[in-house]
Amino acid sequence: MTAMLRRLALMAGLLLPALPAAAAQLVAVPPLNGLVLDLTGTLTPDQSRVLETRLDWIELSLGAQIAVVIIPTTGPESIDAYGLRAFNTWGLGRRDINDGVLLLVARDDRTVRIEIGLGLEQAIPDDAAAAIIRDTIVPAFRKGDFAGGLARAVSVLVPRIQGADLPRPRNGTDAGRIAAPALRDAA
């Protein structure tokens, strides 16, 4: 028994110094300078512009904030952990309402995550986010249509956000009277 405890203590002593090194290798959360951030060059400038226009409309008319972020990798961190860290770092959504959405793609890892703020969890529960990834994003990505997959995912998210019991945006606009910009698949 004592030998086993010594081995466990030795293993713990060997592993503990490695923890700070692993934490130091976490992929940094980049600054979010717009609602579309593509660090991989996956989207063309026109595709990014079209998507950003739609995301701006959502924020102005519905109040909720959706960010689409494409990074190469999350490194040693799971996409769930990285997504939560990025979501909290950027403070997506309105402060007191927490109605942000992060659509995160780690392209080289081949993983996707939709992180939802607490204010939208009723409208976009985890199973709905998983279905959007599985049924909308993944099939498009498999065909190499990244812009189309992201655009269609946003189109699926909008009615869910519209159905949420959220306060009106402070700018006083009425989402019912503002025509949504066409979200075409910019090729």
Side-chain angles (χ1 to χ4, degrees):
M1 181 71 152
T2 328
M4 187 159 130
L5 288 175
R6 271 189 251 148
R7 271 190 238 134
L8 285 174
L10 177 62
M11 287 189 329
L14 292 174
L15 293 176
L16 287 177
L19 290 177
Q25 294 174 7
L26 292 179
V27 174
V29 174
L32 187 64
N33 299 323
L35 295 177
V36 176
L37 176 63
D38 180 6
L39 298 179
T40 64
T42 299
L43 303 176
T44 67
D46 187 46
Q47 290 168 334
S48 291
R49 198 171 23 263
V50 168
L51 190 54
E52 181 108 28
T53 299
R54 179 63 185 246
L55 299 177
D56 286 340
W57 172 83
I58 292 166
E59 186 174 6
L60 286 171
S61 61
L62 302 178
Q65 188 178 51
I66 301 175
V68 174
V69 178
I70 307 172
I71 57 174
T73 182
T74 62
E77 202 170 16
S78 72
I79 195 162
D80 297 350
Y82 182 91
L84 184 60
R85 190 164 55 93
F87 188 94
N88 290 331
T89 298
W90 293 323
L92 292 174
R94 293 176 283 181
R95 183 177 307 172
D96 297 336
I97 302 164
N98 200 0
D99 57 351
V101 177
L102 171 61
L103 201 166
L104 176 65
V105 178
R107 193 186 69 186
D108 298 346
D109 298 341
R110 300 172 60 112
T111 56
V112 180
R113 170 82 177 156
I114 299 176
E115 191 68 45
I116 307 296
L118 291 174
L120 286 172
E121 281 190 340
Q122 296 270 333
I124 312 167
D126 290 342
D127 61 337
I132 293 167
I133 292 169
R134 181 186 62 243
D135 301 337
T136 304
I137 298 173
V138 169
F141 281 16
R142 284 192 178 137
K143 295 176 185 173
D145 184 11
F146 290 92
L150 295 170
R152 286 189 285 284
V154 169
S155 292
V156 172
L157 288 167
V158 167
R160 289 183 163 279
I161 293 169
Q162 287 172 324
D165 186 24
L166 296 175
R168 309 288 305 155
R170 290 192 182 169
N171 61 16
T173 61
D174 181 1
R177 289 191 252 166
I178 299 175
L183 189 57
R184 60 181 169 78
D185 298 339

